[in-house]
């Protein structure tokens, strides 16, 4: 798989937050994104996810070197972007990360529920699968969002500050899991953890409206 961004200009309400951005993300790349708050890091992720349309420029997805309409993507947003008052259980939030469509009636398929259950056990959140997300702590919600990002076995894993609110033990587990995922998928991660980024990312990009390739 691959993603090619060329000459991207993007932002909100007519205000440009990314200017002249060109990036190649190749199969099994690990791209670390660093930069100041408000510099456009999350905006770049939202362009990759198709959540915002660039003012100009192009984005192309590739599979086996050929253009495709989309890729299987897992996404861990920042918890501040989540409406924790929305009436959903942990199990439903995790299952919502499935890329294949739900059936019109009856909710998720048995196979999808089994996959969600498997990933909840792996992440260590199965014991509160039926708890409403509004009852979770920040660290618990971060684990749920991590499970949601992984449940579809994505080709591209996008993580926005994944270690927010998590303790040291889970952070270590999370980083090990991300490295394992990277054996099969590309990873794009925004992080202030420069030590981890510099140790494991093949490409490091600094974003502050424009981009600077650090490696």
């Amino acid at each position: 798989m691959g993603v090619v961004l060329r000459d991207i200009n993007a932002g909100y309400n007519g205000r440009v937050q990314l200017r002249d951005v060109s990036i190649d993300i190749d199969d099994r790349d690990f791209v670390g994104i660093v930069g100041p708050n408000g510099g456009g890091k999350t905006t770049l992720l939202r362009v990759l996810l198709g959540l915002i349309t660039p003012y100009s420029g192009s984005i192309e997805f590739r599979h086996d070197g050929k253009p495709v309409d989309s890729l299987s993507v897992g996404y861990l947003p920042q918890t501040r972007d989540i409406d924790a008052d929305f009436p959903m259980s942990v199990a439903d939030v995790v299952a919502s990360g499935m890329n294949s469509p739900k059936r019109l009636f009856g909710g998720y398929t048995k196979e999808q529920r089994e996959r969600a259950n498997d990933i909840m056990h792996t992440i260590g959140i199965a014991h509160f699968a039926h708890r409403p997300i509004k009852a979770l702590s920040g660290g618990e919600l971060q684990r749920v969002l991590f499970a949601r990002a992984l449940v579809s076995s994505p080709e591209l894993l996008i993580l926005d500050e994944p270690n927010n609110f998590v303790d040291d033990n889970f952070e270590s587990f999370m980083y090990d899991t991300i490295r394992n995922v990277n054996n099969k998928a590309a990873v794009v991660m925004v992080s202030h953890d420069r030590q981890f980024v510099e140790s494991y990312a093949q490409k490091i990009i600094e974003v502050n409206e424009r981009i600077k390739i650090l490696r």
Side-chain angles (χ1 to χ4, degrees):
M1 58 73 58
V3 186
V4 179
L5 280 71
R6 289 290 179 267
D7 303 318
I8 294 291
N9 290 278
Y12 309 94
N13 301 317
R15 179 169 174 252
V16 174
Q17 287 195 293
L18 290 175
R19 194 178 301 276
D20 301 327
V21 170
S22 294
I23 301 172
D24 288 6
I25 302 170
D26 300 319
D27 189 29
R28 293 188 294 276
D29 258 354
F30 195 133
V31 181
I33 298 177
V34 299
N37 291 333
K41 301 185 300 294
T42 296
T43 302
L44 176 57
L45 298 191
R46 289 174 176 167
V47 169
L48 283 170
L49 291 159
L51 297 177
I52 63 173
T53 301
Y55 298 137
S56 61
S58 65
I59 178 169
E60 182 180 78
F61 301 102
R62 295 175 180 173
H63 189 87
D64 292 333
K66 299 178 181 178
V68 294
D69 292 334
S70 63
L71 298 170
S72 171
V73 178
Y75 175 45
L76 188 157
Q78 293 194 37
T79 54
R80 70 187 182 193
D81 295 329
I82 301 299
D83 181 3
D85 290 327
F86 194 77
M88 290 183 73
S89 69
V90 166
D92 284 335
V93 171
V94 174
S96 72
M98 298 285 183
N99 285 329
S100 53
K102 291 193 299 181
R103 292 178 296 175
L104 184 59
F105 299 104
Y108 294 95
T109 66
K110 178 182 178 182
E111 291 75 16
Q112 288 174 323
R113 286 294 184 187
E114 288 175 348
R115 171 59 183 162
N117 188 56
D118 287 345
I119 200 68
M120 285 189 290
H121 278 283
T122 298
I123 302 302
I125 60 174
H127 60 290
F128 55 82
H130 300 294
R131 191 185 301 176
I133 59 171
K134 67 180 180 181
L136 303 180
S137 68
E140 289 170 337
L141 180 56
Q142 194 75 343
R143 293 182 186 216
V144 171
L145 296 176
F146 187 51
R148 180 183 182 274
L150 300 177
V151 71
S152 65
S153 301
E155 299 171 274
L156 173 63
L157 179 62
I158 297 178
L159 308 162
D160 197 354
E161 299 288 357
N163 58 340
N164 280 349
F165 305 111
V166 300
D167 58 35
D168 290 343
N169 287 335
F170 187 75
E171 181 180 72
S172 178
F173 168 80
M174 175 182 282
Y175 284 165
D176 286 343
T177 302
I178 292 169
R179 288 195 296 268
N180 288 335
V181 170
N182 189 221
N183 291 327
K184 298 181 180 179
V187 174
V188 177
M189 185 174 81
V190 169
S191 181
H192 291 295
D193 188 343
R194 293 291 288 259
Q195 182 177 356
F196 178 79
V197 169
E198 290 172 359
S199 295
Y200 293 101
Q202 292 126 349
K203 298 176 181 176
I204 302 176
I205 298 168
E206 184 178 69
V207 180
N208 189 8
E209 187 173 316
R210 298 180 186 273
I211 67 166
K212 180 179 180 181
I213 307 298
L214 302 181
R215 182 162 75 202

